[in-house]
Amino acid sequence: MTYDFSRHDGLYLRQTLFDKARRIVVKVGSAVLTGDHGIAEEVIENIAREIAFLHDSGRQVILVSSGAVAAGRARIKFHNAGNELSIKEKQALAAIGQSNLMQIYDRVFSALGQTSAQVLLTHKDLAVRRRYLNARNTLFALFEFGAIPIINENDTVSVAELRFGDNDMLGAHICNLIEADMFICLTDVVGLYTGNPSTDPDARPIYTVDEITAEIEAMVSHSKSKLGTGGMQSKLRAAKLVSAGGGSSFIGPGREPEVLKKLFSGEMIGTFFLPHKERISGRKRWIATVLKPQGSLVLDEGACRALVERNRSLLPSGILKVEGVFGVGDAVHCARRNGEKIAVGLINYSSVDINKIRGYHSREIQRILGYCDSEEVMHRDNIVIL
Ligand code: GLU
């Protein structure tokens, strides 16, 4: 999709992006889906009607739904006197709740003449390029079948290092995976404000955000209202990830009646985040947005310039320091001396070997290591400038 950024006024662009959005990821949080007695079926009915409306307007829609743990808890009436759930309890409750949740979705979507499909993922499923492409193909096949994929994290097998973190991040990753135009995050807040609306009479809603700057981030972390919870911070992180992949994001009230219809007909609700102008290509997008960097290389000025200004590969001679422990093929950051991260890329040598060859000319690699698989420590095709 191309946008006319020359006519860049927030409202015009916002409406254009809604009109043109053809592939959309909608994420609904547990706080929206659950009430005092577990899953609020009437909320699911409303959400399903809204999704069906988007689907029937010819758009491809994916629903990322939380609520498995909450549904499991309600199902077996599991009360642990307000104590935090342990990992194994959460995983077991998710297993109970997920089938219950899907059974409700299936019934509600069927009544609307729609077919839903369950997809459960861990971060590992996207971090291996072959599995990433496989997941993508499956989702596209579901679109061809006219089905609405309903995605959740595969909580039952997701331990810390396999996790997306939360479903906001899962939704953002799915958006980038399928190159969706838009990420719609339905939550229990009305959107972003310039201050805390419950204490500050001058607080104004922010309808359109051009760029998620440090100022916008500070607004969320300093606010003491619901907007300031970790929840909103992770939504901003997700919006940033989507915008880096070239999509736009919306954060708004999930329980507002007909929220999606209102949005798509131009009503000003929630907060909308504009995309970056450029969309990075498939493989580079995967490197920059899916992989979790395992360490950093601190580079001298010359190497920083070669990467950023001349789009060159990274050679051992420009590396000053190696931080972290990583192996061949891992994602690793490139940083300036002051710690500023300038790039991320796939590494051709392990951290142990880079420590031996850093500062040397590439022709010395063979002599020092006894092998030379490549002249470059990172090839330019595998480097994304941040
Ligand atoms: N996957 C979790 C669940 O279904 C929710 C995680 C989240 O909302 O961030 O209960």
Side-chain angles (χ1 to χ4, degrees), residues 5 7-14 17 192 206-213 216 239-240 243-244 247-249 271-277:
F5 275 93
R7 283 199 56 192
H8 184 176
D9 77 68
L11 295 186
Y12 167 76
L13 202 49
R14 182 182 157 122
L17 291 168
L192 208 60
I206 303 175
Y207 290 118
T208 310
V209 174
D210 278 19
E211 198 190 335
I212 304 171
T213 56
I216 297 279
K240 243 178 153 167
S243 119
S248 51
S249 298
T271 303
F272 190 69
F273 299 84
L274 300 181
H276 274 192
K277 281 188 201 179

PDB file of all heavy atoms in Angstrom, residues 5 7-14 17 192 206-213 216 239-240 243-244 247-249 271-277:
ATOM      1  N   PHE A   5       2.067  10.844   1.613  1.00  0.00           N
ATOM      2  CA  PHE A   5       2.563  11.534   2.784  1.00  0.00           C
ATOM      3  C   PHE A   5       2.700  13.040   2.548  1.00  0.00           C
ATOM      4  O   PHE A   5       2.896  13.791   3.479  1.00  0.00           O
ATOM      5  CB  PHE A   5       3.913  10.947   3.234  1.00  0.00           C
ATOM      6  CG  PHE A   5       3.751   9.748   4.122  1.00  0.00           C
ATOM      7  CD1 PHE A   5       3.753   8.470   3.595  1.00  0.00           C
ATOM      8  CD2 PHE A   5       3.582   9.888   5.492  1.00  0.00           C
ATOM      9  CE1 PHE A   5       3.598   7.365   4.418  1.00  0.00           C
ATOM     10  CE2 PHE A   5       3.426   8.783   6.318  1.00  0.00           C
ATOM     11  CZ  PHE A   5       3.433   7.520   5.773  1.00  0.00           C
ATOM     12  N   ARG A   7       0.377  14.928   1.661  1.00  0.00           N
ATOM     13  CA  ARG A   7      -0.807  15.568   2.266  1.00  0.00           C
ATOM     14  C   ARG A   7      -0.904  15.155   3.727  1.00  0.00           C
ATOM     15  O   ARG A   7      -1.931  14.701   4.205  1.00  0.00           O
ATOM     16  CB  ARG A   7      -2.064  15.083   1.533  1.00  0.00           C
ATOM     17  CG  ARG A   7      -2.274  15.735   0.210  1.00  0.00           C
ATOM     18  CD  ARG A   7      -3.715  15.555  -0.215  1.00  0.00           C
ATOM     19  NE  ARG A   7      -4.650  16.066   0.786  1.00  0.00           N
ATOM     20  CZ  ARG A   7      -5.959  15.815   0.754  1.00  0.00           C
ATOM     21  NH1 ARG A   7      -6.461  15.078  -0.200  1.00  0.00           N
ATOM     22  NH2 ARG A   7      -6.756  16.297   1.667  1.00  0.00           N
ATOM     23  N   HIS A   8       0.235  15.253   4.401  1.00  0.00           N
ATOM     24  CA  HIS A   8       0.287  14.667   5.720  1.00  0.00           C
ATOM     25  C   HIS A   8      -0.389  15.536   6.775  1.00  0.00           C
ATOM     26  O   HIS A   8       0.227  16.365   7.410  1.00  0.00           O
ATOM     27  CB  HIS A   8       1.747  14.407   6.091  1.00  0.00           C
ATOM     28  CG  HIS A   8       1.878  13.723   7.401  1.00  0.00           C
ATOM     29  ND1 HIS A   8       3.051  13.313   7.910  1.00  0.00           N
ATOM     30  CD2 HIS A   8       0.948  13.367   8.298  1.00  0.00           C
ATOM     31  CE1 HIS A   8       2.842  12.743   9.082  1.00  0.00           C
ATOM     32  NE2 HIS A   8       1.567  12.775   9.329  1.00  0.00           N
ATOM     33  N   ASP A   9      -1.690  15.402   6.921  1.00  0.00           N
ATOM     34  CA  ASP A   9      -2.275  15.885   8.153  1.00  0.00           C
ATOM     35  C   ASP A   9      -2.923  14.670   8.786  1.00  0.00           C
ATOM     36  O   ASP A   9      -3.463  13.802   8.103  1.00  0.00           O
ATOM     37  CB  ASP A   9      -3.230  17.067   7.925  1.00  0.00           C
ATOM     38  CG  ASP A   9      -4.560  16.651   7.387  1.00  0.00           C
ATOM     39  OD1 ASP A   9      -5.296  15.995   8.139  1.00  0.00           O
ATOM     40  OD2 ASP A   9      -4.856  16.958   6.224  1.00  0.00           O
ATOM     41  N   GLY A  10      -2.755  14.581  10.110  1.00  0.00           N
ATOM     42  CA  GLY A  10      -3.110  13.368  10.839  1.00  0.00           C
ATOM     43  C   GLY A  10      -4.464  12.785  10.481  1.00  0.00           C
ATOM     44  O   GLY A  10      -4.583  11.607  10.182  1.00  0.00           O
ATOM     45  N   LEU A  11      -5.494  13.663  10.419  1.00  0.00           N
ATOM     46  CA  LEU A  11      -6.844  13.147  10.237  1.00  0.00           C
ATOM     47  C   LEU A  11      -7.047  12.550   8.863  1.00  0.00           C
ATOM     48  O   LEU A  11      -7.642  11.492   8.698  1.00  0.00           O
ATOM     49  CB  LEU A  11      -7.871  14.265  10.446  1.00  0.00           C
ATOM     50  CG  LEU A  11      -7.906  14.797  11.868  1.00  0.00           C
ATOM     51  CD1 LEU A  11      -9.032  15.791  12.026  1.00  0.00           C
ATOM     52  CD2 LEU A  11      -8.068  13.658  12.841  1.00  0.00           C
ATOM     53  N   TYR A  12      -6.509  13.252   7.863  1.00  0.00           N
ATOM     54  CA  TYR A  12      -6.648  12.765   6.490  1.00  0.00           C
ATOM     55  C   TYR A  12      -5.988  11.395   6.367  1.00  0.00           C
ATOM     56  O   TYR A  12      -6.562  10.444   5.843  1.00  0.00           O
ATOM     57  CB  TYR A  12      -5.993  13.760   5.518  1.00  0.00           C
ATOM     58  CG  TYR A  12      -5.809  13.202   4.138  1.00  0.00           C
ATOM     59  CD1 TYR A  12      -6.895  13.084   3.259  1.00  0.00           C
ATOM     60  CD2 TYR A  12      -4.562  12.740   3.716  1.00  0.00           C
ATOM     61  CE1 TYR A  12      -6.727  12.537   2.007  1.00  0.00           C
ATOM     62  CE2 TYR A  12      -4.399  12.192   2.464  1.00  0.00           C
ATOM     63  CZ  TYR A  12      -5.479  12.096   1.607  1.00  0.00           C
ATOM     64  OH  TYR A  12      -5.319  11.547   0.377  1.00  0.00           O
ATOM     65  N   LEU A  13      -4.768  11.307   6.919  1.00  0.00           N
ATOM     66  CA  LEU A  13      -4.017  10.063   6.796  1.00  0.00           C
ATOM     67  C   LEU A  13      -4.702   8.936   7.559  1.00  0.00           C
ATOM     68  O   LEU A  13      -4.803   7.805   7.090  1.00  0.00           O
ATOM     69  CB  LEU A  13      -2.601  10.291   7.335  1.00  0.00           C
ATOM     70  CG  LEU A  13      -1.544   9.325   6.838  1.00  0.00           C
ATOM     71  CD1 LEU A  13      -1.593   9.179   5.334  1.00  0.00           C
ATOM     72  CD2 LEU A  13      -0.172   9.814   7.262  1.00  0.00           C
ATOM     73  N   ARG A  14      -5.194   9.269   8.753  1.00  0.00           N
ATOM     74  CA  ARG A  14      -5.868   8.281   9.581  1.00  0.00           C
ATOM     75  C   ARG A  14      -7.018   7.660   8.792  1.00  0.00           C
ATOM     76  O   ARG A  14      -7.145   6.442   8.683  1.00  0.00           O
ATOM     77  CB  ARG A  14      -6.372   8.993  10.848  1.00  0.00           C
ATOM     78  CG  ARG A  14      -7.074   8.103  11.851  1.00  0.00           C
ATOM     79  CD  ARG A  14      -7.566   8.940  13.040  1.00  0.00           C
ATOM     80  NE  ARG A  14      -8.649   8.241  13.688  1.00  0.00           N
ATOM     81  CZ  ARG A  14      -8.648   7.884  14.967  1.00  0.00           C
ATOM     82  NH1 ARG A  14      -7.664   8.176  15.753  1.00  0.00           N
ATOM     83  NH2 ARG A  14      -9.668   7.233  15.474  1.00  0.00           N
ATOM     84  N   LEU A  17      -5.905   5.524   5.845  1.00  0.00           N
ATOM     85  CA  LEU A  17      -5.372   4.221   6.246  1.00  0.00           C
ATOM     86  C   LEU A  17      -6.493   3.256   6.615  1.00  0.00           C
ATOM     87  O   LEU A  17      -6.441   2.069   6.293  1.00  0.00           O
ATOM     88  CB  LEU A  17      -4.387   4.393   7.402  1.00  0.00           C
ATOM     89  CG  LEU A  17      -3.070   5.096   7.015  1.00  0.00           C
ATOM     90  CD1 LEU A  17      -2.265   5.492   8.240  1.00  0.00           C
ATOM     91  CD2 LEU A  17      -2.237   4.221   6.097  1.00  0.00           C
ATOM     92  N   LEU A 192      -4.836   7.072  24.496  1.00  0.00           N
ATOM     93  CA  LEU A 192      -3.748   7.829  25.106  1.00  0.00           C
ATOM     94  C   LEU A 192      -4.217   9.267  25.378  1.00  0.00           C
ATOM     95  O   LEU A 192      -4.907   9.867  24.560  1.00  0.00           O
ATOM     96  CB  LEU A 192      -2.602   7.848  24.090  1.00  0.00           C
ATOM     97  CG  LEU A 192      -1.186   7.951  24.579  1.00  0.00           C
ATOM     98  CD1 LEU A 192      -0.833   6.785  25.492  1.00  0.00           C
ATOM     99  CD2 LEU A 192      -0.239   7.947  23.373  1.00  0.00           C
ATOM    100  N   ILE A 206      -5.328  11.974  22.774  1.00  0.00           N
ATOM    101  CA  ILE A 206      -4.440  12.063  21.602  1.00  0.00           C
ATOM    102  C   ILE A 206      -4.997  11.088  20.567  1.00  0.00           C
ATOM    103  O   ILE A 206      -4.999   9.884  20.785  1.00  0.00           O
ATOM    104  CB  ILE A 206      -2.998  11.663  21.969  1.00  0.00           C
ATOM    105  CG1 ILE A 206      -2.477  12.551  23.101  1.00  0.00           C
ATOM    106  CG2 ILE A 206      -2.075  11.732  20.754  1.00  0.00           C
ATOM    107  CD1 ILE A 206      -1.110  12.168  23.618  1.00  0.00           C
ATOM    108  N   TYR A 207      -5.514  11.618  19.465  1.00  0.00           N
ATOM    109  CA  TYR A 207      -6.157  10.756  18.473  1.00  0.00           C
ATOM    110  C   TYR A 207      -5.163  10.146  17.491  1.00  0.00           C
ATOM    111  O   TYR A 207      -5.352   9.031  17.031  1.00  0.00           O
ATOM    112  CB  TYR A 207      -7.217  11.539  17.691  1.00  0.00           C
ATOM    113  CG  TYR A 207      -8.415  11.885  18.534  1.00  0.00           C
ATOM    114  CD1 TYR A 207      -8.764  13.221  18.769  1.00  0.00           C
ATOM    115  CD2 TYR A 207      -9.199  10.887  19.104  1.00  0.00           C
ATOM    116  CE1 TYR A 207      -9.858  13.547  19.546  1.00  0.00           C
ATOM    117  CE2 TYR A 207     -10.292  11.205  19.894  1.00  0.00           C
ATOM    118  CZ  TYR A 207     -10.611  12.536  20.106  1.00  0.00           C
ATOM    119  OH  TYR A 207     -11.681  12.841  20.884  1.00  0.00           O
ATOM    120  N   THR A 208      -4.123  10.927  17.150  1.00  0.00           N
ATOM    121  CA  THR A 208      -3.187  10.424  16.139  1.00  0.00           C
ATOM    122  C   THR A 208      -1.755  10.677  16.580  1.00  0.00           C
ATOM    123  O   THR A 208      -1.418  11.799  16.961  1.00  0.00           O
ATOM    124  CB  THR A 208      -3.435  11.121  14.781  1.00  0.00           C
ATOM    125  OG1 THR A 208      -4.823  11.042  14.482  1.00  0.00           O
ATOM    126  CG2 THR A 208      -2.652  10.452  13.666  1.00  0.00           C
ATOM    127  N   VAL A 209      -0.939   9.642  16.566  1.00  0.00           N
ATOM    128  CA  VAL A 209       0.473   9.775  16.925  1.00  0.00           C
ATOM    129  C   VAL A 209       1.304   9.512  15.672  1.00  0.00           C
ATOM    130  O   VAL A 209       1.216   8.454  15.073  1.00  0.00           O
ATOM    131  CB  VAL A 209       0.850   8.752  18.039  1.00  0.00           C
ATOM    132  CG1 VAL A 209       2.350   8.774  18.315  1.00  0.00           C
ATOM    133  CG2 VAL A 209       0.054   9.013  19.303  1.00  0.00           C
ATOM    134  N   ASP A 210       2.093  10.525  15.269  1.00  0.00           N
ATOM    135  CA  ASP A 210       2.944  10.395  14.076  1.00  0.00           C
ATOM    136  C   ASP A 210       4.068   9.412  14.314  1.00  0.00           C
ATOM    137  O   ASP A 210       4.420   8.615  13.467  1.00  0.00           O
ATOM    138  CB  ASP A 210       3.628  11.734  13.767  1.00  0.00           C
ATOM    139  CG  ASP A 210       2.710  12.649  13.015  1.00  0.00           C
ATOM    140  OD1 ASP A 210       1.499  12.409  13.056  1.00  0.00           O
ATOM    141  OD2 ASP A 210       3.215  13.594  12.386  1.00  0.00           O
ATOM    142  N   GLU A 211       4.669   9.544  15.504  1.00  0.00           N
ATOM    143  CA  GLU A 211       5.842   8.745  15.796  1.00  0.00           C
ATOM    144  C   GLU A 211       5.893   8.524  17.295  1.00  0.00           C
ATOM    145  O   GLU A 211       5.593   9.443  18.063  1.00  0.00           O
ATOM    146  CB  GLU A 211       7.081   9.536  15.348  1.00  0.00           C
ATOM    147  CG  GLU A 211       8.299   8.673  15.191  1.00  0.00           C
ATOM    148  CD  GLU A 211       9.551   9.506  14.979  1.00  0.00           C
ATOM    149  OE1 GLU A 211       9.442  10.649  14.488  1.00  0.00           O
ATOM    150  OE2 GLU A 211      10.627   8.997  15.311  1.00  0.00           O
ATOM    151  N   ILE A 212       6.259   7.305  17.720  1.00  0.00           N
ATOM    152  CA  ILE A 212       6.321   7.039  19.158  1.00  0.00           C
ATOM    153  C   ILE A 212       7.665   7.541  19.676  1.00  0.00           C
ATOM    154  O   ILE A 212       8.666   6.848  19.645  1.00  0.00           O
ATOM    155  CB  ILE A 212       6.103   5.546  19.456  1.00  0.00           C
ATOM    156  CG1 ILE A 212       4.767   5.111  18.855  1.00  0.00           C
ATOM    157  CG2 ILE A 212       6.128   5.282  20.961  1.00  0.00           C
ATOM    158  CD1 ILE A 212       4.509   3.642  18.888  1.00  0.00           C
ATOM    159  N   THR A 213       7.660   8.787  20.126  1.00  0.00           N
ATOM    160  CA  THR A 213       8.893   9.425  20.593  1.00  0.00           C
ATOM    161  C   THR A 213       9.081   9.147  22.085  1.00  0.00           C
ATOM    162  O   THR A 213       8.184   8.605  22.757  1.00  0.00           O
ATOM    163  CB  THR A 213       8.758  10.950  20.419  1.00  0.00           C
ATOM    164  OG1 THR A 213       7.574  11.344  21.128  1.00  0.00           O
ATOM    165  CG2 THR A 213       8.631  11.334  18.966  1.00  0.00           C
ATOM    166  N   ILE A 216       6.241  10.606  24.103  1.00  0.00           N
ATOM    167  CA  ILE A 216       5.017   9.789  24.173  1.00  0.00           C
ATOM    168  C   ILE A 216       5.221   8.653  25.179  1.00  0.00           C
ATOM    169  O   ILE A 216       4.346   8.372  26.002  1.00  0.00           O
ATOM    170  CB  ILE A 216       4.680   9.191  22.773  1.00  0.00           C
ATOM    171  CG1 ILE A 216       4.376  10.289  21.763  1.00  0.00           C
ATOM    172  CG2 ILE A 216       3.564   8.162  22.859  1.00  0.00           C
ATOM    173  CD1 ILE A 216       2.982  10.857  21.824  1.00  0.00           C
ATOM    174  N   ALA A 239       2.986  -1.326  19.286  1.00  0.00           N
ATOM    175  CA  ALA A 239       2.711  -0.364  18.207  1.00  0.00           C
ATOM    176  C   ALA A 239       4.015   0.022  17.505  1.00  0.00           C
ATOM    177  O   ALA A 239       4.053   0.189  16.285  1.00  0.00           O
ATOM    178  CB  ALA A 239       2.025   0.882  18.773  1.00  0.00           C
ATOM    179  N   LYS A 240       5.093   0.130  18.278  1.00  0.00           N
ATOM    180  CA  LYS A 240       6.406   0.468  17.715  1.00  0.00           C
ATOM    181  C   LYS A 240       6.886  -0.629  16.775  1.00  0.00           C
ATOM    182  O   LYS A 240       7.407  -0.365  15.693  1.00  0.00           O
ATOM    183  CB  LYS A 240       7.414   0.602  18.863  1.00  0.00           C
ATOM    184  CG  LYS A 240       7.995   1.967  18.991  1.00  0.00           C
ATOM    185  CD  LYS A 240       8.932   2.011  20.157  1.00  0.00           C
ATOM    186  CE  LYS A 240       9.978   3.062  19.921  1.00  0.00           C
ATOM    187  NZ  LYS A 240      10.728   3.378  21.113  1.00  0.00           N
ATOM    188  N   SER A 243       4.866  -0.504  13.626  1.00  0.00           N
ATOM    189  CA  SER A 243       5.218   0.627  12.769  1.00  0.00           C
ATOM    190  C   SER A 243       6.578   0.385  12.103  1.00  0.00           C
ATOM    191  O   SER A 243       6.783   0.749  10.942  1.00  0.00           O
ATOM    192  CB  SER A 243       5.118   1.922  13.574  1.00  0.00           C
ATOM    193  OG  SER A 243       6.315   2.580  13.645  1.00  0.00           O
ATOM    194  N   ALA A 244       7.507  -0.283  12.810  1.00  0.00           N
ATOM    195  CA  ALA A 244       8.802  -0.618  12.194  1.00  0.00           C
ATOM    196  C   ALA A 244       8.594  -1.557  11.005  1.00  0.00           C
ATOM    197  O   ALA A 244       9.334  -1.522  10.032  1.00  0.00           O
ATOM    198  CB  ALA A 244       9.718  -1.269  13.222  1.00  0.00           C
ATOM    199  N   GLY A 247       3.314  -1.107   9.338  1.00  0.00           N
ATOM    200  CA  GLY A 247       1.861  -1.078   9.564  1.00  0.00           C
ATOM    201  C   GLY A 247       1.469   0.048  10.514  1.00  0.00           C
ATOM    202  O   GLY A 247       2.319   0.682  11.143  1.00  0.00           O
ATOM    203  N   SER A 248       0.157   0.300  10.615  1.00  0.00           N
ATOM    204  CA  SER A 248      -0.328   1.285  11.581  1.00  0.00           C
ATOM    205  C   SER A 248      -1.011   0.540  12.728  1.00  0.00           C
ATOM    206  O   SER A 248      -1.343  -0.633  12.599  1.00  0.00           O
ATOM    207  CB  SER A 248      -1.296   2.251  10.911  1.00  0.00           C
ATOM    208  OG  SER A 248      -2.290   1.525  10.225  1.00  0.00           O
ATOM    209  N   SER A 249      -1.210   1.242  13.840  1.00  0.00           N
ATOM    210  CA  SER A 249      -1.815   0.595  15.010  1.00  0.00           C
ATOM    211  C   SER A 249      -2.902   1.467  15.600  1.00  0.00           C
ATOM    212  O   SER A 249      -2.859   2.697  15.467  1.00  0.00           O
ATOM    213  CB  SER A 249      -0.783   0.384  16.115  1.00  0.00           C
ATOM    214  OG  SER A 249       0.228  -0.446  15.706  1.00  0.00           O
ATOM    215  N   THR A 271      -6.655   5.856  20.066  1.00  0.00           N
ATOM    216  CA  THR A 271      -5.431   6.507  19.577  1.00  0.00           C
ATOM    217  C   THR A 271      -4.880   5.714  18.406  1.00  0.00           C
ATOM    218  O   THR A 271      -4.784   4.491  18.473  1.00  0.00           O
ATOM    219  CB  THR A 271      -4.377   6.580  20.708  1.00  0.00           C
ATOM    220  OG1 THR A 271      -4.949   7.282  21.805  1.00  0.00           O
ATOM    221  CG2 THR A 271      -3.122   7.301  20.238  1.00  0.00           C
ATOM    222  N   PHE A 272      -4.528   6.450  17.362  1.00  0.00           N
ATOM    223  CA  PHE A 272      -4.057   5.816  16.140  1.00  0.00           C
ATOM    224  C   PHE A 272      -2.578   6.155  15.930  1.00  0.00           C
ATOM    225  O   PHE A 272      -2.180   7.299  16.103  1.00  0.00           O
ATOM    226  CB  PHE A 272      -4.903   6.329  14.974  1.00  0.00           C
ATOM    227  CG  PHE A 272      -4.678   5.587  13.709  1.00  0.00           C
ATOM    228  CD1 PHE A 272      -5.100   4.273  13.584  1.00  0.00           C
ATOM    229  CD2 PHE A 272      -4.028   6.179  12.655  1.00  0.00           C
ATOM    230  CE1 PHE A 272      -4.883   3.563  12.423  1.00  0.00           C
ATOM    231  CE2 PHE A 272      -3.802   5.478  11.480  1.00  0.00           C
ATOM    232  CZ  PHE A 272      -4.230   4.170  11.374  1.00  0.00           C
ATOM    233  N   PHE A 273      -1.782   5.160  15.579  1.00  0.00           N
ATOM    234  CA  PHE A 273      -0.336   5.348  15.379  1.00  0.00           C
ATOM    235  C   PHE A 273      -0.013   5.151  13.910  1.00  0.00           C
ATOM    236  O   PHE A 273      -0.279   4.083  13.349  1.00  0.00           O
ATOM    237  CB  PHE A 273       0.452   4.331  16.204  1.00  0.00           C
ATOM    238  CG  PHE A 273       0.208   4.453  17.694  1.00  0.00           C
ATOM    239  CD1 PHE A 273      -0.885   3.826  18.281  1.00  0.00           C
ATOM    240  CD2 PHE A 273       1.050   5.205  18.495  1.00  0.00           C
ATOM    241  CE1 PHE A 273      -1.127   3.937  19.647  1.00  0.00           C
ATOM    242  CE2 PHE A 273       0.817   5.329  19.852  1.00  0.00           C
ATOM    243  CZ  PHE A 273      -0.271   4.699  20.428  1.00  0.00           C
ATOM    244  N   LEU A 274       0.562   6.166  13.301  1.00  0.00           N
ATOM    245  CA  LEU A 274       0.875   6.087  11.868  1.00  0.00           C
ATOM    246  C   LEU A 274       2.063   5.153  11.615  1.00  0.00           C
ATOM    247  O   LEU A 274       2.917   4.992  12.474  1.00  0.00           O
ATOM    248  CB  LEU A 274       1.213   7.485  11.329  1.00  0.00           C
ATOM    249  CG  LEU A 274       0.116   8.528  11.466  1.00  0.00           C
ATOM    250  CD1 LEU A 274       0.587   9.851  10.876  1.00  0.00           C
ATOM    251  CD2 LEU A 274      -1.158   8.087  10.762  1.00  0.00           C
ATOM    252  N   PRO A 275       2.095   4.552  10.429  1.00  0.00           N
ATOM    253  CA  PRO A 275       3.217   3.650  10.113  1.00  0.00           C
ATOM    254  C   PRO A 275       4.462   4.430   9.722  1.00  0.00           C
ATOM    255  O   PRO A 275       4.372   5.607   9.392  1.00  0.00           O
ATOM    256  CB  PRO A 275       2.702   2.881   8.898  1.00  0.00           C
ATOM    257  CG  PRO A 275       1.756   3.819   8.233  1.00  0.00           C
ATOM    258  CD  PRO A 275       1.139   4.660   9.319  1.00  0.00           C
ATOM    259  N   HIS A 276       5.613   3.758   9.747  1.00  0.00           N
ATOM    260  CA  HIS A 276       6.812   4.338   9.136  1.00  0.00           C
ATOM    261  C   HIS A 276       6.572   4.436   7.646  1.00  0.00           C
ATOM    262  O   HIS A 276       5.821   3.659   7.077  1.00  0.00           O
ATOM    263  CB  HIS A 276       8.022   3.431   9.378  1.00  0.00           C
ATOM    264  CG  HIS A 276       8.682   3.697  10.687  1.00  0.00           C
ATOM    265  ND1 HIS A 276       9.900   3.201  11.017  1.00  0.00           N
ATOM    266  CD2 HIS A 276       8.273   4.421  11.764  1.00  0.00           C
ATOM    267  CE1 HIS A 276      10.227   3.603  12.221  1.00  0.00           C
ATOM    268  NE2 HIS A 276       9.262   4.331  12.708  1.00  0.00           N
ATOM    269  N   LYS A 277       7.281   5.368   6.986  1.00  0.00           N
ATOM    270  CA  LYS A 277       7.059   5.536   5.557  1.00  0.00           C
ATOM    271  C   LYS A 277       7.470   4.307   4.774  1.00  0.00           C
ATOM    272  O   LYS A 277       6.850   3.937   3.803  1.00  0.00           O
ATOM    273  CB  LYS A 277       7.872   6.735   5.065  1.00  0.00           C
ATOM    274  CG  LYS A 277       7.223   8.043   5.382  1.00  0.00           C
ATOM    275  CD  LYS A 277       7.991   9.143   4.703  1.00  0.00           C
ATOM    276  CE  LYS A 277       7.700  10.458   5.401  1.00  0.00           C
ATOM    277  NZ  LYS A 277       8.431  11.545   4.799  1.00  0.00           N
TER     278      LYS A 277
END
